[in-house]
Amino acid sequence: MSLIVQKYGGSSVADAESIKRVAKRIVDTRRAGNDVVVVVSAMGDTTDELLDLAGQVTPMPEPRELDMLLTAGERISMALLAMTIKGMGHDARSFTGSQAGMITDARHGAARIVDVTPVRLREALDEGAIVIVAGFQGFNRDTKDITTLGRGGSDTSAVALAAALDADICEIYTDVDGIFTADPRVVSTATKINRISTEEMLELAAAGSKVLYIRAVEYARRHGVTLHVRSSFSNAEGTLVINARDGEKVEEAIISGVASDLSEAKVTVVGVPDIPGKAAQIFTILGKANANIDMIVQNVSGADTGRTDISFTLPKAQGAIALQALRSEQESVGFEALQYDDQIGKLALVGAGMRTNAGVSARLFQALSDARINIEMISTSEIRISVVTRADTINEAVRVVHTAFGLDSDGEAVVYGGTGR
Ligand code: ASP
Ligand code: MG
């Protein structure tokens, strides 16, 4: 008998019909002789709608109350799913994050899991029930308050439960057939990947691929959880995300995918004195402001001026705070001006095989040049090349790069649901 954790995203439980469809899938898994633990997200775009609503009553919602509000979304879907399964004649029981033993730190809106004590889930499983857990939420022991794990956090809930329960597999059900070489919403000829390493998946997730959230992949990698990403709308095989260091075989394609991200802005600190300690000073200020810095580029300094420009990208939502922090230290750092640009897009090409293949960057730059797309920043890791372009050229950039690396398939990738919101 296997223990299977299944996670269903918002678009898979968007309405009553979808909940019934998912319930049938869960019952089939149970009937096949498995123990089943299900993690659900809020229905459809519920979380976004609740956020909009909060914004309508106050400009800066209190984080504690915002978490109370948002966690209600997952409670609705868990209860509906459990009663659907019950109605089909099978034992099912729903649990909130705190009932499930998801213990987190106290950071509202971005809590980290510190411990998982799924005692009640074990008991329910032992009694033969199908267990349904509200994703995205936890509980802090010190404040005794309810927390949320950050957007897309249900993936992390599922992986954490799979690790704590020592599940055989963690299935992540979504509205596409698996992980593709690009977002099927942008590139209709994207190709499904059958197996991918956690290492490559981490890079894709960090680069903006939304099919799996980065913290879930990190957690899976650390705890050796095998993920199976698949569609709740079809019976297609999906994608296995595998810990390559467990000795499992992964096909080493040169390129595994192209991801893009429109959520970042670019800040340029103009005229920084080119002397030791200035970069340290700037990024210490940004660190104190809790800015998540992504790409950093520093130019050579003008020979006559002794000054240089430093550019970096960060989430748009953190732009105002970062600028304010830098501005308040302008005199002590000694820079000349700040520029802020939130009309950028980031494209990343990821592949473990690029380690041993020369010419990957040349081919990428040529494809963008042929499409007359200007590159504004470049950064690389061992298995990734990222470039920043204008936001309005990013989808075109993804398509031409996807084609240039021979990633297009003959068929059309299906998007079964969801608004991509
Ligand atoms: N409902 C939450 C969100 O939309 C969590 C999740 O879907 O994973 O971000
Ligand atoms: Mg959601």
Side-chain angles (χ1 to χ4, degrees):
M1 193 163 185
S2 301
L3 172 57
I4 299 181
V5 172
Q6 299 188 328
K7 180 256 169 177
Y8 291 93
S11 53
S12 294
V13 292
D15 50 31
E17 274 321 301
S18 311
I19 290 176
K20 287 192 211 165
R21 191 192 64 239
V22 162
K24 191 169 172 308
R25 221 183 167 109
I26 295 166
V27 166
D28 287 346
T29 311
R30 173 78 192 135
R31 279 219 185 98
N34 304 294
D35 275 339
V36 190
V37 173
V38 176
V39 175
V40 274
S41 293
M43 296 169 70
D45 288 330
T46 301
T47 308
D48 291 293
E49 286 156 14
L50 292 173
L51 272 173
D52 290 350
L53 201 53
Q56 286 170 38
V57 293
T58 176
M60 296 270 270
E62 167 72 25
R64 177 187 185 277
E65 300 309 329
L66 198 54
D67 275 357
M68 281 300 208
L69 179 70
L70 296 186
T71 49
E74 271 71 12
R75 282 180 87 134
I76 294 172
S77 42
M78 76 175 193
L80 286 170
L81 187 55
M83 64 179 79
T84 311
I85 296 172
K86 274 265 182 190
M88 292 165 74
H90 290 263
D91 194 10
R93 237 164 283 169
S94 66
F95 297 92
T96 64
S98 47
Q99 289 176 321
M102 299 291 294
I103 312 299
T104 71
D105 64 18
R107 256 178 301 176
H108 287 293
R112 298 234 156 214
I113 298 165
V114 295
D115 196 8
V116 185
T117 52
V119 184
R120 296 193 63 185
L121 308 191
R122 273 262 179 246
E123 282 168 9
L125 286 173
D126 290 345
E127 289 165 20
I130 293 169
V131 167
I132 317 282
V133 181
F136 173 59
Q137 52 184 270
F139 174 77
N140 179 261
R141 281 183 178 135
D142 301 325
T143 62
K144 303 198 165 35
D145 275 330
I146 302 295
T147 56
T148 62
L149 308 179
R151 296 309 305 273
S154 301
D155 287 357
T156 317
S157 308
V159 175
L161 281 177
L165 292 164
D166 201 17
D168 296 275
I169 190 123
C170 181
E171 298 180 336
I172 307 278
Y173 284 93
T174 181
D175 47 22
V176 289
D177 280 328
I179 293 156
F180 283 79
T181 49
D183 183 347
R185 288 188 168 84
V186 175
V187 183
S188 60
T189 50
T191 307
K192 201 193 82 200
I193 302 167
N194 293 326
R195 291 161 87 86
I196 189 169
S197 64
T198 46
E199 188 191 18
E200 289 165 294
M201 194 57 232
L202 270 180
E203 290 277 11
L204 283 173
S209 162
K210 279 168 215 73
V211 63
L212 274 181
Y213 278 78
I214 184 160
R215 282 179 48 201
V217 185
E218 272 167 2
Y219 207 104
R221 182 176 166 90
R222 226 175 317 123
H223 292 84
V225 176
T226 302
L227 301 175
H228 188 183
V229 180
R230 50 195 310 194
S231 166
S232 68
F233 299 80
S234 83
N235 283 315
E237 242 321 291
T239 303
L240 282 174
V241 184
I242 287 163
N243 271 306
R245 55 165 193 205
D246 292 346
E248 290 251 26
K249 265 251 164 301
V250 189
E251 45 197 302
E252 274 230 335
I254 298 176
I255 300 303
S256 54
V258 192
S260 63
D261 188 355
L262 286 169
S263 69
E264 294 195 347
K266 178 173 75 173
V267 174
T268 302
V269 190
V270 181
V272 180
D274 194 11
I275 52 174
K278 287 299 159 187
Q281 211 180 340
I282 288 171
F283 289 98
T284 302
I285 294 167
L286 292 165
K288 283 195 187 129
N290 282 323
N292 296 317
I293 306 301
D294 182 20
M295 294 169 86
I296 302 176
V297 171
Q298 177 181 323
N299 295 320
V300 290
S301 63
D304 42 345
T305 61
R307 287 176 181 272
T308 180
D309 295 344
I310 297 180
S311 298
F312 58 87
T313 65
L314 82 177
K316 279 179 195 167
Q318 298 172 357
I321 294 169
L323 287 182
Q324 201 188 356
L326 286 173
R327 228 173 258 132
S328 68
E329 301 277 345
Q330 177 161 7
E331 219 161 293
S332 74
V333 181
F335 63 85
E336 287 164 351
L338 289 176
Q339 284 168 3
Y340 184 68
D341 180 352
D342 61 4
Q343 294 303 307
I344 61 159
K346 193 181 74 178
L347 173 151
L349 186 67
V350 173
M354 72 169 75
R355 271 194 196 108
T356 47
N357 272 272
V360 172
S361 39
R363 204 198 293 189
L364 167 65
F365 301 152
Q366 189 60 51
L368 293 174
S369 150
D370 291 346
R372 310 221 126 279
I373 293 171
N374 189 41
I375 300 170
E376 300 181 18
M377 289 170 97
I378 302 171
S379 91
T380 60
S381 85
E382 230 195 347
I383 64 167
R384 172 188 47 77
I385 308 172
S386 304
V387 298
V388 166
T389 72
R390 285 293 88 202
D392 58 6
T393 61
I394 196 74
N395 285 350
E396 173 71 2
V398 169
R399 284 190 284 267
V400 298
V401 170
H402 193 264
T403 301
F405 283 91
L407 299 173
D408 291 318
S409 73
D410 304 330
E412 186 144 322
V414 191
V415 178
Y416 297 94
T419 56
R421 183 175 167 183

